[in-house]
Amino acid sequence: MEHYDARETRDPAQRESELCARLPALIAHAQTHAPACARLLAGVDAEAVSSREALARLPVTRKSELVELQRAARPFGGFAAVSWGRACPRVFASPGPLYEPEGARADYYRLARALFAAGFREGDLVHNTFSYHMTPAGSMMEGAAHALGCTVFPAGIGQTEQQLAAIVDLQPNAYIGTPSFLRILLDKAAEQGAALPFAKALVSGEAFPPSLRERFAAAGITARQAYATADIGLIAYETPAQDGLVLDEDVLLEIVRPGTGDPLPPGEVGEVVVTSFNPDYPLIRFGTGDLSAVLPGASSCGRSNQRIHGWLGRADQTTKVKGMFVHPGQIAEVAKRHPGLGRLRLVVDNPQQIDRMTLHCEFGGAVSAGFGEAIAASLRELTKLRGEVSFCAPGSLANDGKLIDDIRRYE
């Protein structure tokens, strides 16, 4: 089989229709069973949320906000629809700390789809080097491997010498973990005059540069990457076509302008916002804080879902200028107040060690008298700080999702 299931090759219009048709039940379930969602979605008619346009009118809950929300309503901030017991056999902690429930369903995080695309099959012996201590990555990957019928060696992180000894003894043919740890294992094996038996690998948790991909290929290891989070599970995954990351079949993804909930057109870099159809942890319009963009067309591997770039940075570009925090949302609000502007970028520098803000604005027409002053006034009103305004040609600012670029240097 080339594909995990028939859903991967559905007509895109059918997929979109089915995803949107699932939204009302998800909203109603979250309103009934997750107290935080009941509060955030108070007054929302669940039956009316049956399109992307309706979904985009709902608030975004950002990962950066969850720490305080969980402290106020332990343990999950009111977003979980399950409690201790059979419905929640495990609970994990991520840096923050953030706590995530793991439900009782097989392949709870839906990562089997990514493993299958990476060539994992029943009967493989998988060396899983993601952490099994407190954080969920080890369990996320193990559950997916078991769903495919693989056997897992739970190696976890560290103890490189012992891991290499186990690899030599057991001869696993597949690796799961970060790309950097696979490189460490390759280096350690080379020191000992040994070769790693891995033929395939699924890597995640870090950037995966072409240089490492080439290094692994030279060692006979075909490596693919997955984009997943502890909160959502699988978001997107790489296929043999290596032409971007294909979205999972059970998420609805939006790319929004950083600091807002406003969807961006395809191709524009913005924050990844995901709605997950997970009844145990129904996160609706969850802002991951990651930057990416939708790629045009479908993958050449036959999978018909949308594709995105890999990780392109972080959306939280908040900085402090003269003792005041400046947020991406404030810059986005300037654009809303002045229609006709294209991309905006606030550059913060410090000539003579004095903080300075310059708002670069793409604008294609003739600049009328007072237009720059009006934009500067909006910037001052929103940030409580004075800044200069500089106009530039449409398309001249980089399409990288940055609204704030802090280039200050300190002597």
Side-chain angles (χ1 to χ4, degrees), residues 50-407:
S50 57
S51 67
R52 285 182 180 268
E53 293 73 23
L55 181 67
R57 290 192 284 270
L58 303 183
V60 173
T61 299
R62 288 191 160 80
K63 188 165 188 169
S64 58
E65 302 168 345
L66 275 187
V67 172
E68 291 305 321
L69 290 171
Q70 289 192 353
R71 285 174 180 164
R74 298 182 188 276
F76 305 120
F79 287 92
V82 293
S83 56
W84 311 136
R86 294 182 184 275
C88 182
R90 294 187 183 91
V91 59
F92 292 103
S94 297
L98 286 173
Y99 298 101
E100 297 100 6
E102 182 183 285
R105 295 188 307 281
D107 190 24
Y108 175 76
Y109 300 97
R110 309 178 317 283
L111 274 150
R113 188 179 300 280
L115 287 176
F116 189 91
F120 288 59
R121 296 293 186 272
E122 182 174 355
D124 286 340
L125 174 57
V126 177
H127 191 83
N128 183 11
T129 68
F130 275 119
S131 175
Y132 280 81
H133 175 63
M134 295 185 69
T135 59
S139 181
M140 292 170 72
M141 293 295 184
E142 181 174 283
H146 286 166
L148 291 180
C150 301
T151 299
V152 176
F153 181 77
I157 56 175
Q159 299 178 304
T160 309
E161 296 281 355
Q162 292 94 322
Q163 290 213 28
L164 193 57
I167 291 168
V168 170
D169 289 340
L170 295 173
Q171 293 290 295
N173 66 331
Y175 168 91
I176 291 175
T178 62
S180 62
F181 192 66
L182 180 52
R183 178 185 56 78
I184 289 170
L185 288 174
L186 277 171
D187 291 343
K188 184 63 68 174
E191 288 176 11
Q192 299 183 8
L196 295 183
F198 306 137
K200 63 194 80 171
L202 183 74
V203 299
S204 191
E206 296 175 347
F208 185 30
S211 58
L212 268 186
R213 189 190 296 273
E214 292 166 6
R215 170 85 187 279
F216 299 157
I221 304 169
T222 300
R224 307 281 183 246
Q225 58 183 319
Y227 172 30
T229 72
D231 326 87
I232 297 294
L234 180 65
I235 296 174
Y237 58 100
E238 191 175 21
T239 75
Q242 293 182 211
D243 54 1
L245 304 183
V246 177
L247 293 186
D248 178 51
E249 296 295 322
D250 289 295
V251 298
L252 197 157
L253 178 138
E254 303 168 88
I255 302 292
V256 308
R257 192 177 304 281
T260 77
D262 303 332
L264 288 168
E268 288 290 311
V269 175
E271 183 180 8
V272 174
V273 170
V274 181
T275 295
S276 167
F277 294 89
N278 179 353
D280 300 336
Y281 200 33
L283 295 173
I284 297 163
R285 300 204 83 202
F286 181 71
T288 63
D290 295 327
L291 292 174
S292 194
V294 172
L295 290 166
S299 172
S300 61
C301 70
R303 292 169 177 85
S304 58
N305 209 342
Q306 276 188 320
R307 295 174 301 136
I308 61 172
H309 283 282
W311 183 81
L312 296 177
R314 294 293 294 171
D316 186 7
Q317 302 151 30
T318 298
T319 192
K320 185 179 281 189
V321 181
K322 296 180 179 178
M324 299 286 289
F325 281 108
V326 182
H327 305 275
Q330 294 169 321
I331 309 307
E333 181 61 29
V334 172
K336 287 183 179 179
R337 291 189 180 190
H338 301 279
L341 294 177
R343 295 192 187 105
L344 273 67
R345 176 168 300 195
L346 183 72
V347 176
V348 183
D349 61 3
N350 58 338
Q352 290 80 51
Q353 302 299 294
I354 298 173
D355 288 350
R356 177 178 66 179
M357 300 195 315
T358 304
L359 184 63
H360 297 264
C361 308
E362 291 186 353
F363 187 68
V367 178
S368 60
F371 189 36
E373 289 81 357
I375 296 171
S378 294
L379 180 65
R380 184 170 64 251
E381 179 185 342
L382 290 163
T383 66
K384 313 305 179 189
L385 295 163
R386 293 183 182 275
E388 302 172 13
V389 174
S390 175
F391 292 99
C392 56
S396 59
L397 295 178
N399 178 24
D400 57 7
K402 273 193 176 182
L403 291 177
I404 300 175
D405 192 9
D406 189 344
I407 60 172

